[in-house]
Amino acid sequence: MNLVTNFQSAIHTQGLRATRQRQLVLDVLEHSPEHLDAEAIHDQVRAKDPRISLATVYRTLALFKRLGLVAEHSLGEDHGHFETAPNAPHYHFTCLNCKRVIEFESPTVLQVVQGLAEREGLQVIETHLTLSGYCPECRPDEEAA
Amino acid sequence: MNLVTNFQSAIHTQGLRATRQRQLVLDVLEHSPEHLDAEAIHDQVRAKDPRISLATVYRTLALFKRLGLVAEHSLGEDHGHFETAPNAPHYHFTCLNCKRVIEFESPTVLQVVQGLAEREGLQVIETHLTLSGYCPECRPDEEAA
DNA sequence: TTTACTGCAAAACATTTGCAATGAG
DNA sequence: CTCATTGCAAATGTTTTGCAGTAAA
């Protein structure tokens, strides 16, 4: 439930080290409700310590992903976005115009996926349901007859 | 329904031209049940005409996407894969080990998405449901007590 | 003839990596 | 002290772009 706690135990389990850089990235992720990309995380982390490199941010995010602390999504289709691993799975809608991201849950989708997995004998590790289109503010509102 | 036909009409509607390169890419897409990436499409097209450049393949795929003839997916998380735009929407499971892609349909997912769109006032253009995990052949088959 | 399109090579990105220096345990 | 981790800069892989030449219409 607590990111930091999960991180601490992972540290102890494996031969990892709790570096300042990792703590800062963890901090940014924890206090950010948004879906940040590596660059944005780097910016925020650099505000607290200008010496941290983008490469380290990438390495840290890869580690956190491996530890199950964060999830990566391809929201804008181009580069990756990261968020803290959710307890309840949720999905994303991205507005093609204003880039706003709307999150939503759906037990129904979960059921569909579980049904498929059972039927096909699949072990599903990740589920990404990503919608794109236009939010109410950005809708062309086409009303052509 | 017919890719080539759709292409022809798009050509006439806009000021586009039916070049040999585009016809070849169209041909590859049409006769390939797989989810090819730009590089693979380039290889196949080059088998018929070695002069075609990768840049042209990318430009052609971008055009086809804009025309609604093909859909792009991030299946392996890294680079894009393309397939002919399906009449019935379907979704993808990718095996993390053997990279095999399994397609599946789900009217239920469609309903969920439509429900969400109505409730939130969204205009949904694209829906990507992408699963990853292990197929029956590649499953670790963990049976730990 | 007109100008959309292509090939090429270079640029633009996001991301990864080799290596010497650093610092957590 | 030891070795996991970092910073840097260079490498990588994918996709895009500028421009002069080519070819549909």
Side-chain angles (χ1 to χ4, degrees):
Chain A
M1 188 160 271
N2 186 328
L3 258 199
V4 180
T5 311
N6 286 346
F7 177 48
Q8 305 293 0
S9 41
I11 292 288
H12 291 166
T13 311
Q14 286 146 283
L16 303 175
R17 290 176 185 179
T19 63
R20 179 176 36 82
Q21 291 83 335
R22 289 177 180 173
Q23 316 233 34
L24 287 176
V25 171
L26 204 57
D27 203 56
V28 166
L29 287 169
E30 206 171 24
H31 296 91
S32 176
E34 305 195 59
H35 301 82
L36 304 170
D37 53 29
E39 192 88 23
I41 293 171
H42 185 216
D43 286 346
Q44 290 209 31
V45 166
R46 243 195 320 200
K48 300 188 179 180
D49 183 335
R51 250 179 306 183
I52 293 176
S53 77
L54 183 56
T56 295
V57 171
Y58 273 109
R59 281 189 279 231
T60 301
L61 289 171
L63 172 67
F64 287 178
K65 220 170 94 178
R66 185 157 59 74
L67 296 179
L69 302 180
V70 306
E72 182 176 4
H73 302 275
S74 315
L75 298 182
E77 297 297 299
D78 38 357
H79 59 295
H81 289 75
F82 300 83
E83 66 178 15
T84 65
N87 302 2
H90 64 256
Y91 314 106
H92 301 89
F93 167 92
T94 310
C95 177
L96 294 170
N97 182 244
C98 68
K99 308 301 173 193
R100 185 156 69 101
V101 175
I102 295 176
E103 297 189 349
F104 62 97
E105 295 187 19
S106 173
T108 309
V109 169
L110 199 59
Q111 279 171 29
V112 167
V113 171
Q114 284 172 346
L116 173 83
E118 218 164 293
R119 206 174 327 115
E120 301 277 355
L122 306 173
Q123 182 189 359
V124 175
I125 305 284
E126 281 190 37
T127 302
H128 293 288
L129 174 54
T130 310
L131 314 179
S132 58
Y134 297 97
C135 71
E137 282 73 38
C138 297
R139 281 182 71 162
D141 249 313
E142 66 331 289
E143 37 202 308
Chain B
M1 187 159 275
N2 186 328
L3 260 198
V4 180
T5 310
N6 286 345
F7 178 49
Q8 305 294 359
S9 40
I11 291 288
H12 290 168
T13 311
Q14 286 145 282
L16 304 175
R17 289 177 185 179
T19 64
R20 178 176 35 84
Q21 290 85 333
R22 289 177 179 173
Q23 317 231 35
L24 287 177
V25 171
L26 203 59
D27 202 56
V28 166
L29 287 169
E30 206 172 25
H31 295 92
S32 176
E34 304 194 59
H35 301 81
L36 304 170
D37 54 29
E39 192 87 25
I41 293 171
H42 185 215
D43 286 346
Q44 290 209 32
V45 165
R46 244 194 321 199
K48 301 186 178 180
D49 183 335
R51 250 179 307 185
I52 293 176
S53 76
L54 182 56
T56 295
V57 171
Y58 273 108
R59 281 188 277 230
T60 302
L61 289 171
L63 172 68
F64 286 178
K65 222 171 92 178
R66 186 158 59 74
L67 297 179
L69 302 181
V70 306
E72 181 176 6
H73 301 276
S74 315
L75 297 181
E77 296 298 300
D78 39 357
H79 58 296
H81 289 75
F82 299 83
E83 65 178 16
T84 65
N87 302 1
H90 64 257
Y91 314 107
H92 301 89
F93 168 92
T94 309
C95 177
L96 294 171
N97 182 244
C98 69
K99 309 300 176 194
R100 184 157 70 100
V101 174
I102 295 176
E103 296 189 347
F104 62 96
E105 295 187 19
S106 173
T108 309
V109 169
L110 199 59
Q111 280 171 30
V112 168
V113 171
Q114 284 171 346
L116 174 82
E118 217 163 293
R119 204 174 328 116
E120 302 277 355
L122 307 173
Q123 181 187 359
V124 175
I125 305 285
E126 280 189 40
T127 301
H128 293 288
L129 174 55
T130 309
L131 314 179
S132 58
Y134 296 99
C135 71
E137 283 73 37
C138 297
R139 281 181 72 162
D141 249 310
E142 65 334 285
E143 38 204 306

